[in-house]
């Protein structure tokens, strides 16, 4: 089974690992969630709003990489095509899941977060996998799936993400270094981040 894992699975693995654990100055989802709780006197929904706002601002900044401080090392080591937008989107959804009491070590939580990162596309893939999201929540529906079926959904999510990267020009993140100060599609990326936040708040 492990030998059949390809780029889509690896992409999801890397996005999840870096978004949850963090790397260098880029804080992981748990740390971001805990800091937001501390800043809002343990008010979960206020913490969610705080995290959404900060991630939308990061996505909208015209110098996203410089906004992340020393995250250039993250960019150099990240797989080709892993843009800051999707890394931030994954961290945002994972942080919301953490605030809502979800276990980030649970593979079901991971799949649910990645569905939210894809937004409407993710929900479509989940429904095509057999989830009835009219009569069940995303998390409870995923929990009822056999592990092998959920793994298939993870792979489909990876393929959809890979397709999105291709449509964005298959941007190799190592090529971002010379143009750190260039615009990063501020409006579109901010809207995309808000969409992820809406799905995460509704489904996690």
């Amino acid at each position: 089974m492990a030998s059949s894992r390809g780029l889509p699975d690896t992409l999801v693995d890397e996005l999840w690992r870096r978004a949850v654990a963090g790397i260098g100055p880029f804080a992981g989802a748990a740390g971001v969630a805990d800091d937001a709780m501390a800043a809002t006197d343990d008010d979960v929904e206020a913490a969610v709003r705080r995290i959404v706002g900060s991630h939308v601002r990061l996505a909208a900044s015209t110098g996203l990489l410089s906004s992340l401080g020393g995250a250039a090392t993250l960019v150099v080591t990240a797989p080709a095509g892993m843009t800051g937008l999707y890394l931030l989107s994954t961290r945002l959804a994972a942080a919301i899941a953490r605030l809502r009491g979800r276990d980030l070590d649970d593979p079901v939580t991971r799949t649910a977060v990645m569905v939210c990162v894809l937004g409407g596309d993710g929900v479509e893939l989940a429904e095509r996998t057999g989830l009835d999201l009219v009569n069940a929540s995303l998390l409870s529906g995923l929990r009822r799936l056999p592990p092998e079926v959920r793994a298939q959904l993870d792979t489909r999510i990876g393929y959809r993400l890979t397709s999105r990267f291709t449509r964005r020009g298959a941007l190799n993140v190592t090529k971002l270094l010379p143009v750190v100060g260039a615009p990063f599609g501020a409006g579109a990326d901010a809207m995309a981040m808000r969409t992820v936040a809406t799905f995460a708040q509704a489904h996690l």
Side-chain angles (χ1 to χ4, degrees):
M1 187 65 148
S3 62
S4 66
R5 292 178 64 79
L7 176 61
D9 295 295
T10 301
L11 179 59
V12 172
D13 289 346
E14 287 297 313
L15 276 173
W16 183 252
R17 182 173 67 83
R18 296 172 189 274
V20 170
I23 180 171
F26 185 83
V32 168
D34 293 348
D35 287 348
M37 284 289 279
T40 57
D41 296 324
D42 294 334
D43 183 326
V44 171
E45 293 311 309
V48 168
R49 292 192 295 272
R50 182 183 179 90
I51 288 174
V52 170
S54 67
H55 280 69
V56 169
R57 288 190 296 273
L58 278 172
S61 70
T62 56
L64 178 61
L65 298 181
S66 57
S67 295
L68 293 177
T73 53
L74 166 67
V75 174
V76 171
T77 57
M82 185 188 292
T83 66
L85 175 65
Y86 287 103
L87 184 59
L88 283 171
S89 296
T90 306
R91 186 176 73 173
L92 168 63
I96 291 174
R98 162 91 170 189
L99 288 171
R100 296 276 176 80
R102 314 304 180 192
D103 180 4
L104 297 184
D105 290 327
D106 183 354
V108 171
T109 299
R110 183 181 109 142
T111 301
V113 164
M114 298 312 299
V115 167
C116 292
V117 168
L118 282 177
D121 283 354
V123 170
E124 175 197 346
L125 288 175
E127 290 176 334
R128 283 170 52 189
T129 303
L131 269 66
D132 178 7
L133 298 181
V134 174
N135 298 305
S137 71
L138 176 61
L139 283 162
S140 63
L142 288 171
R143 211 165 291 285
R144 293 172 191 165
L145 289 179
E148 60 272 17
V149 176
R150 195 181 64 251
Q152 291 171 8
L153 175 57
D154 287 341
T155 298
R156 290 171 184 163
I157 289 170
Y159 274 113
R160 190 63 59 91
L161 280 169
T162 303
S163 174
R164 283 190 176 188
F165 288 143
T166 302
R167 291 201 301 272
R168 288 174 68 92
L171 180 64
N172 185 320
V173 286
T174 61
K175 295 178 181 177
L176 286 174
L177 291 175
V179 289
V180 166
F184 198 75
D189 286 355
M191 185 178 299
M193 194 67 67
R194 287 195 182 279
T195 299
V196 172
T198 297
F199 276 88
Q201 288 173 283
H203 294 289
L204 299 173

